[in-house]
Amino acid sequence: MDTPWLDRRQLRAWIRLRAVLELLPGALDAQLRRDSDITEFEYFVLAVLSEAPERTLRMTELAARTNATLPRLSHVVTRMERRELVERFPCPEDRRATNARLARTGWDTLRRAAPGHVATVRHNVIDTLTDEQVDQLADIGDALLARLDPAGTMSAIYTRHDRPDGEEPDPGRGSADGA
Amino acid sequence: MDTPWLDRRQLRAWIRLRAVLELLPGALDAQLRRDSDITEFEYFVLAVLSEAPERTLRMTELAARTNATLPRLSHVVTRMERRELVERFPCPEDRRATNARLARTGWDTLRRAAPGHVATVRHNVIDTLTDEQVDQLADIGDALLARLDPAGTMSAIYTRHDRPDGEEPDPGRGSADGA
DNA sequence: CAGAATCGGTTGTCGCGACAACCATCATAA
DNA sequence: TTATGATGGTTGTCGCGACAACCGATTCTG
């Protein structure tokens, strides 16, 4: 356990990363709560569901893709169900399992929330970086996730199907916006 | 409000960043809780205090440097006081104010916790990146914090006094480790 | 030197996430 | 078949953070 201390340059990077870790989630959350009355996590749940076939996913799978524990997800979905953002129904093939499906209200909420959320992400992240830095950030993210999420459960979601859109769940294409 | 959608490269960066935001804090927290029975935030409070002159800081200042709201800090310090990690005493100059001082136990706890914490940071972050990426990360962090923390309250802490150590609060030098 | 506004901090309530305990279902093997 | 263990989920309790309400001390204003 004789790990060397961090040198100045490493420390510089770490301190900044730590600060971002502390501040950014709050900023994103605040905007969504204020403008759409949902959590960033709830937004993410809606987004993930909206990407799934039939807009339906088993709880376990949904938990994995959102990096939630099952208990946490269960609680969250219970609340979301109350607001009719999602629906829960037993899985026909496996009677232990439960499916979560994006409800109409959830889809609408997501669509309405998306633009503001994207704007916030742009404002706080993307637009503050050069194009080069954006790519560097992606590579750095890959490196970190190799440790944090070896299975790639979190990041694979959107990159899997190779589309120009992703986290932002597509309102803007498809039936919306009359594009 | 006609913010353009994220293009593929931007999305790639954002998704990864988001995943890191979700996973990294938990990883750090888990290690500290397990090995030293303190939160990452408590660790940080200890670290910040240990860097302050007299190992003492006013609550407001401590809150600013740890990016906590005052109520939150007050609660945290209450608990830490119970475990004798810190002490609170009224500020002589301003009788509204309260000072928080690092207690003996807190210092010891910090010193014992530091190596494992550093190792975790290395394992999950620093050692997964090239030297070049470490610098890139620092620059990216600067860019993001320009928005998130314009006053620089969070990141200024350690860079201000220009030392080779920083977040990691110095055990390792001084009387520890018998170096 | 009143009175008002402001500052510094604490306390109370509420909502969310972690963890453990629990129940039901499916798979496996004797 | 029935035990055994694993899988999929839910529920209960606890601890922490956000927000609002509050109080004493201080500064500002006339």
Side-chain angles (χ1 to χ4, degrees):
Chain A
M1 183 67 96
D2 49 341
T3 312
W5 224 243
L6 301 183
D7 67 34
R8 179 187 263 121
R9 290 164 63 217
Q10 294 168 337
L11 193 62
R12 180 165 170 263
W14 169 236
I15 287 175
R16 277 151 185 76
L17 176 57
R18 199 196 168 283
V20 170
L21 251 38
E22 186 82 38
L23 297 170
L24 188 48
L28 299 173
D29 226 71
Q31 180 270 326
L32 277 172
R33 292 187 112 98
R34 178 165 42 76
D35 297 345
S36 304
D37 196 39
I38 53 174
T39 305
E40 209 269 341
F41 182 74
E42 290 172 337
Y43 179 92
F44 195 51
V45 169
L46 293 177
V48 169
L49 276 180
S50 79
E51 293 280 339
E54 307 286 326
R55 294 177 185 172
T56 301
L57 239 35
R58 277 156 71 149
M59 292 294 283
T60 303
E61 183 61 20
L62 185 55
R65 297 199 190 183
T66 55
N67 185 47
T69 59
L70 216 31
R72 175 183 179 190
L73 182 63
S74 187
H75 281 137
V76 171
V77 169
T78 300
R79 289 171 230 139
M80 294 178 78
E81 206 173 12
R82 238 175 260 142
R83 296 189 284 160
E84 304 191 358
L85 298 175
V86 299
E87 301 158 353
R88 235 181 324 201
F89 62 95
C91 175
E93 295 100 347
D94 186 338
R95 282 168 42 194
R96 296 171 293 182
T98 307
N99 281 325
R101 180 170 45 205
L102 184 61
R104 182 58 202 278
T105 315
W107 171 253
D108 292 342
T109 301
L110 179 59
R111 276 200 24 223
R112 276 195 297 267
H117 180 56
V118 176
T120 307
V121 171
R122 278 200 173 281
H123 178 73
N124 288 291
V125 182
I126 302 296
D127 291 349
T128 69
L129 302 177
T130 65
D131 287 352
E132 200 187 353
Q133 284 179 315
V134 169
D135 289 337
Q136 292 172 355
L137 177 56
D139 291 338
I140 289 171
D142 271 331
L144 299 186
L145 292 174
R147 286 262 194 239
L148 291 168
D149 179 30
T153 325
M154 288 284 297
S155 48
I157 310 170
Y158 294 108
T159 50
R160 202 145 51 198
H161 35 255
D162 204 28
R163 313 138 113 240
D165 292 328
E167 142 117 10
E168 311 317 337
D170 248 330
R173 294 199 331 204
S175 51
D177 285 344
Chain B
M1 181 69 98
D2 50 341
T3 312
W5 224 245
L6 301 184
D7 67 35
R8 179 188 264 120
R9 289 164 63 217
Q10 294 168 335
L11 192 61
R12 181 166 168 263
W14 168 235
I15 288 176
R16 278 150 185 76
L17 176 57
R18 199 197 168 284
V20 170
L21 252 38
E22 187 82 37
L23 297 170
L24 188 48
L28 299 173
D29 226 71
Q31 180 271 326
L32 277 172
R33 292 187 111 98
R34 179 165 42 76
D35 297 345
S36 304
D37 196 39
I38 53 174
T39 305
E40 209 269 340
F41 182 73
E42 290 172 336
Y43 179 91
F44 194 51
V45 169
L46 294 177
V48 168
L49 277 181
S50 80
E51 293 280 339
E54 308 286 325
R55 293 177 187 172
T56 301
L57 238 36
R58 279 158 67 152
M59 293 293 283
T60 304
E61 182 61 19
L62 185 55
R65 297 200 190 182
T66 55
N67 184 46
T69 59
L70 216 32
R72 175 184 179 188
L73 182 63
S74 186
H75 281 138
V76 171
V77 168
T78 300
R79 290 171 230 141
M80 294 178 78
E81 206 173 12
R82 238 175 260 142
R83 296 190 283 158
E84 303 190 358
L85 299 175
V86 300
E87 301 157 355
R88 239 184 319 203
F89 61 95
C91 176
E93 295 101 348
D94 187 338
R95 283 167 42 192
R96 294 172 295 182
T98 306
N99 281 325
R101 180 170 44 205
L102 184 61
R104 182 58 201 278
T105 315
W107 171 252
D108 292 342
T109 301
L110 180 58
R111 275 201 23 224
R112 276 196 298 266
H117 180 56
V118 176
T120 306
V121 171
R122 277 199 173 281
H123 178 74
N124 288 291
V125 182
I126 302 297
D127 291 348
T128 70
L129 302 177
T130 65
D131 288 351
E132 200 187 353
Q133 284 180 315
V134 170
D135 290 337
Q136 292 172 356
L137 177 56
D139 290 338
I140 290 171
D142 272 332
L144 300 185
L145 291 174
R147 286 262 194 239
L148 292 168
D149 179 29
T153 326
M154 288 284 297
S155 48
I157 311 170
Y158 294 108
T159 49
R160 200 145 51 198
H161 36 254
D162 204 27
R163 310 138 115 244
D165 292 329
E167 142 119 11
E168 311 318 335
D170 247 328
R173 292 198 331 204
S175 50
D177 283 344

